[in-house]
Amino acid sequence: MSFGDPNNPYGQQPPQGQPGGYPQQAPQGVPPQPQYGYPQQPQPPQQPYGYPQQPMPPMPGMPGMPGMPGMGLPPLAHWGQRVGAYLLDLLIIVGPMYLVGFITGAASSSSSSSSGSGGLNILGLITLLYAIGMGFFQLYKEGSTGQTIGKKALGISVLREADGRTLGFGFAFVRKLAHFLDSIACYLGFLWPLWDQKKQTFADKVCSTVVIKVK
């Protein structure tokens, strides 16, 4: 009787330690080999150690800052918000001057003494210095944060169209001077945001800036 005889019901037994019919266990540290007849799963390519990771692609439809690839412009400020912010800033800067001018005019008409007129002149000088200082302060706030006091109250901000960064004091001053272009042709530039796709004035187009909503 031979153990290799195929007719022998007591043929060759599986080796000790390996249950019959089960695949052998792979040695430790060696990945198991797939069994015959089972489909192999494709393995994703492994990136070599030390190479930089690939950046994640931008998610479509997410709001972004102006000019960012794959992102659209954030909500733009409408014309009424811009006008309201401008009027509020103007009131903060020149309002005290008009108020003091009205008071000094009324006081000078009722008093002709030199001491009284001298005090009114000093008060007028103080208000003038206030207007100049407040104007530069508004430019500083607009350049560093994108918002003047009026813009912050109305929930809008001015930023660079290319990258969404703030303007800086110097560029905010240049943009303020560029508003001269808006006054040409019967102040048409100030009305341009009413129908412009990016709601820009002429000064915005020259300086490549946009005014957006922030709340």
Side-chain angles (χ1 to χ4, degrees), residues 192-207:
W192 204 260
L194 287 171
W195 52 79
D196 186 70
Q197 183 179 5
K198 297 180 180 179
K199 302 186 184 302
Q200 292 174 307
T201 62
F202 294 162
D204 288 323
K205 291 186 177 298
V206 169
C207 298

Side-chain angles (χ1 to χ4, degrees), residues 3 12 25 31-32 65 75 85 89 91 95-96 98 101 105-107 112 119 155 167 183 186 196 202 210:
F3 287 102
Q12 186 176 0
Q25 299 295 328
M65 296 305 296
D89 288 333
L91 180 63
Y98 280 99
S112 58
L167 307 184
S183 62
C186 301
D196 186 70
F202 294 162
V210 288

Side-chain angles (χ1 to χ4, degrees), residues 26-44:
Q28 187 175 2
V30 179
Q33 298 297 324
Q35 298 299 314
Y36 179 77
Y38 286 86
Q40 299 186 13
Q41 298 295 330
Q43 297 295 329

Side-chain angles (χ1 to χ4, degrees), residues 36-215:
Y36 179 77
Y38 286 86
Q40 299 186 13
Q41 298 295 330
Q43 297 295 329
Q46 298 294 329
Q47 197 166 11
Y49 179 76
Y51 280 77
Q53 299 293 326
Q54 296 295 326
M56 295 295 294
M59 300 298 293
M62 294 179 61
M65 296 305 296
M68 292 181 64
M71 305 290 185
L73 285 173
L76 299 172
H78 57 73
W79 187 77
Q81 288 178 300
R82 299 184 63 161
V83 172
Y86 172 77
L87 293 178
L88 182 56
D89 288 333
L90 187 64
L91 180 63
I92 292 172
I93 295 174
V94 303
M97 291 186 61
Y98 280 99
L99 179 61
V100 171
F102 175 77
I103 294 174
T104 55
S108 61
S109 62
S110 61
S111 176
S112 58
S113 62
S114 59
S115 60
S117 61
L120 294 176
N121 290 335
I122 293 176
L123 185 59
L125 179 61
I126 292 174
T127 55
L128 177 62
L129 293 176
Y130 161 81
I132 296 174
M134 180 56 69
F136 278 99
F137 174 75
Q138 293 276 56
L139 279 175
Y140 166 76
K141 294 293 291 183
E142 186 174 64
S144 59
T145 67
Q147 293 179 305
T148 59
I149 297 175
K151 285 183 173 65
K152 187 173 183 179
L154 271 295
I156 61 177
S157 177
V158 57
L159 301 172
R160 298 175 187 264
E161 183 182 1
D163 51 18
R165 294 188 295 115
T166 53
L167 307 184
F169 177 81
F171 198 63
F173 182 73
V174 171
R175 179 178 178 271
K176 193 66 66 177
L177 295 179
H179 279 303
F180 168 75
L181 301 174
D182 296 324
S183 62
I184 299 176
C186 301
Y187 299 93
L188 181 63
F190 290 110
L191 301 176
W192 204 260
L194 287 171
W195 52 79
D196 186 70
Q197 183 179 5
K198 297 180 180 179
K199 302 186 184 302
Q200 292 174 307
T201 62
F202 294 162
D204 288 323
K205 291 186 177 298
V206 169
C207 298
S208 298
T209 56
V210 288
V211 181
I212 66 171
K213 297 178 182 179
V214 294
K215 69 174 183 179

